[in-house]
Each structure stands twice: as C-alpha cells, then as structure tokens.
Amino acid sequence: MTTPRHDHQPAPSPLDTSLAAPLKGPLEGLRVLDLATLFAGPLAATMLGDFGADVIKVEHPRTPDPSRGHGPSKDGVGLWWKLLGRNKRTLTLDLSTPGGREILLRLAADADVLIENFRPGTLEKWNLGWEELSAANPRLVLTRVTGFGQFGPYSRRPGFGTLAEAMSGFAAITGEPEGPPTLPPFGLADSIAALSTSYAVMAALQGRERTGRGQVVDMAIIEPMLTVLGAQPTWYDQLGFVQERTGNRSTNNAPRNTYRTSDGKWVAVSTSARSIAERVMCLVGRADVVDEEWFATGAGRAGHADELDAAVGSWIARHTRDDVLAAFEKAEAAIAPVYDIRDVMEDEQYRALGSITEVPDPDLGTVRMQNVLFRLSETPGAIRWAGRAHGADTDEILADLGLSPSDITALREAGAL
C-alpha cells in the first residue's frame, strides 16, 4: 500500500510499507456497496474507499464493469480500472436471480451505503428498491446516480456525462466565438458528479446520526455541472444576460489567455486581481495602460482585451518559457506552464505534494496513479491496493456472510455468482 498522506510534512517514499499497522482512515468501519458503472458512482465509491471505507464492488458475473476495458490496456490489463477499482474488494452477483437478490439484501443489512446508477425502476424490477433495502437495513443510505434524476420527463432516458456537459450550458460557453460548442475530452461532468456524490453521502450519514434512519440520495449528473458554472441563472433572471463563447478569454478580467513562447511552448496568464494585472502590464512594457480609467475594473480590462493580449502575447513570444516563468515569478505575477501529462509527472510541486504515487500491483508490478484527493493531518487516506481482478473476493465476502463452500458452489452453479 502507499504511505498515508499527511499535511505539513514532506511527501514520504510512495512505496514505504514499514508501518505494521498503518494509520486508520476516518471512514474505517463504513461499508459501501458499489453497484454503479461509468463513472460518477464508482468514482464516488473510490473516494470513500481512499479514506478507509470498506468498498465492495458488485459486478455481473458474465459482464464485468465496462471500465475494465475502457481506454488503453497493458498486456490485456485495463489501466483505468486500476485507478477506479482501487481500495475495492470485488464480488460477482447477478441481481436478477433469486440467489443474487438474496445475497444483496444480506450484504445491505450490514452496509452503510449502497451506490447504484441503473435507470430508475431497475432495482424495483428486481424487488431491490428502497422499500426492500430499507426493510433489510433502516440505516442504509441508498445513493442513486443517474443522468437526469429519479423523476421528471427525462428520468428514464439513458444519461451520460457528455449529455450533462451539453445540457448544463457548459458546451455552449466553451470554445472560440466563431467555432462550435466544445465538449471536454474527458469525463468532466462525471467527475464533478462523483465529488458531489461523495459529499452527499457524507451529508446523509451525518443526518443519520441525528435521526437514526438512512435515506435516499438522488444525484442527477446534470445538476452539479450546472452548479459549477456559477451565477448564470441569476444573471439571466435579473438581466436577461446569456454568456457566450469567448475562447480562453474572460468577460470578467484581462489579460487572461494562453500565450506561445519563443521555444514553441505555452503558458497561461490570469489577472483576476487588479494588482496582478498591473504587475503583468508593467513587466511587458505597457505601464502606461495602468493609469487608464478602464483599467480599474475587471470588466473594463476585458473590454480592452485585444490591446492587452497583444502586448502580453508579443512580449511572451520573444522569450523562452523558462525565461517567461522566471520573469513572472520575480514580478509576483500569476502564470503557469501549459502541461501535458509528461510534464505533470515531472513537476516539482506535484512531487512535493505526492500527487502522483506508486502502488504495488500483482498484474503490473508497480503502477503510478493520482494519490488520494487531499491530505489529513491525523486520519489520512491511503491507497491500499489497485483495482483487483473480476470477482477476486467473491468467496471471501460470501464466507463472511456465513455461507459454506457448498452454498457458494450452489449459487455459482445457479448463475447467481
């Protein structure tokens, strides 16, 4: 396992396993059943597992989780699953069979959280809806993650993060002004929904501490994406204002863009604060604009973005990236290099934080991946193992429920496992 992440100390060696009994995460003792696939629900379960929850990944015995085959693989081993499946025990179960249903109810009776992302009505079709689950365990938190929520005219539609990125308004404001709406090349909406889901689960569990009862979390992926887009509904409500595509520019400040250096690399500049904007313009030789009346506000500077961009862009274009970064740092102006993943893996700040860590793995030897999401000084999270093989822990989990080897064999022969 990786060394737990603490705050206020240098990052330890990622393969240090010298502690006989690693510090326990804050969610130790919490049991989570992960029935979800691609990607918001499973990632939320991963985040809970990273901080000590016992996560049991439930997969169909004949149709493994699609993330096992998503993206690149090495020697037939899906690499995305190694990240998404970390800190999870794996169990195969066909919920549509009587035996599978019975096992799930027995697991739910001893669980704290169940995360699923079937279309609304699917669990109910198998007689595994809230009525049955809460009867088995009144303290269970049933977390339902779908594209459009559990009710409303779109609730039964197939829903994916891409649709949320389109419907939330994100795509409409992303891209160049004369170009088409632009979608992100990764699961942005799913990832934001995963963060929101893990937060929702913790809120529901805290509510359980007061009421003694579990409840249903209804997470529609279209909603967290809408939330992170800021005050657009309020702008429209009060002013009839509709934000348009502005490329890398902002309607709230300038200069703000990406700029190419003389050695063909790219940097990003942000000047949200007036003091930073002043430092940037003085650095690039345009101190004269600082005293202009329009320069005093972000909106005023945005209205003169062409002039400011031209000055900043032409100065940066005459210098190498290293020289640009050094000059901006000396001037205490905000800048960052535009990285690809190769740069991220070598960056000294990421290294200091331990943001990328190494995890021992029986399939790959060692695999590097993102570390747990944040550092806690007293009860840190840790990656105990990378994603495990399909059904690797089935017999162990069922034995813990009290099933005998013959019981497990019978279930397997009946197609329930």
Side-chain angles (χ1 to χ4, degrees), residues 111-115 130 137-144 200-206 208 213-217:
D112 298 282
V113 180
L114 187 154
I115 301 176
W130 176 238
N137 181 0
R139 289 175 57 82
L140 182 71
V141 172
L142 172 59
T143 306
R144 319 195 78 165
V201 165
M202 300 312 298
L205 290 171
Q206 179 62 27
R208 187 180 73 175
R213 301 188 307 277
Q215 58 185 301
V216 177
V217 173

Side-chain angles (χ1 to χ4, degrees), residues 347-377:
D347 181 81
E348 60 183 357
Q349 181 61 31
Y350 282 125
R351 283 183 172 178
L353 294 173
S355 305
I356 304 294
T357 191
E358 293 183 340
V359 183
D361 182 74
D363 298 316
L364 301 171
T366 299
V367 57
R368 287 194 288 176
M369 63 178 64
Q370 300 94 320
N371 212 329
V372 301
L373 195 57
F374 48 85
R375 289 160 294 279
L376 296 176
S377 62

Side-chain angles (χ1 to χ4, degrees), residues 34 36-50 80 84 88 115 117 143-146 161 164-165 187-202 217 219-225 228 373-374:
D34 174 12
T37 58
L38 297 179
F39 277 102
L43 183 55
T46 301
M47 293 173 182
L48 299 173
D50 284 349
W80 203 318
L84 193 64
K88 299 179 184 182
I115 301 176
N117 70 337
T143 306
R144 319 195 78 165
V145 185
T146 58
E165 289 148 9
L188 177 62
D190 276 302
S191 299
I192 293 172
L195 289 163
S196 304
T197 299
S198 59
Y199 163 54
V201 165
M202 300 312 298
V217 173
M219 176 63 66
I221 297 175
I222 58 174
E223 290 183 306
M225 195 69 190
V228 301
L373 195 57
F374 48 85

Side-chain angles (χ1 to χ4, degrees), residues 168 226-241 243:
S168 63
L226 178 62
T227 295
V228 301
L229 290 177
Q232 290 191 50
T234 306
W235 291 340
Y236 180 74
D237 173 63
Q238 296 295 307
L239 302 171
F241 175 78
Q243 185 171 341

Side-chain angles (χ1 to χ4, degrees), residues 28 43 78 96 116 120 125 161 212 221 269 304 322 353 382 393-394 399:
E28 190 200 13
L43 183 55
S96 68
E116 62 97 1
K125 178 179 67 176
I221 297 175
V269 173
H304 291 75
D322 286 348
L353 294 173
D393 305 290
T394 298

Side-chain angles (χ1 to χ4, degrees), residues 81 108 402:
W81 169 251

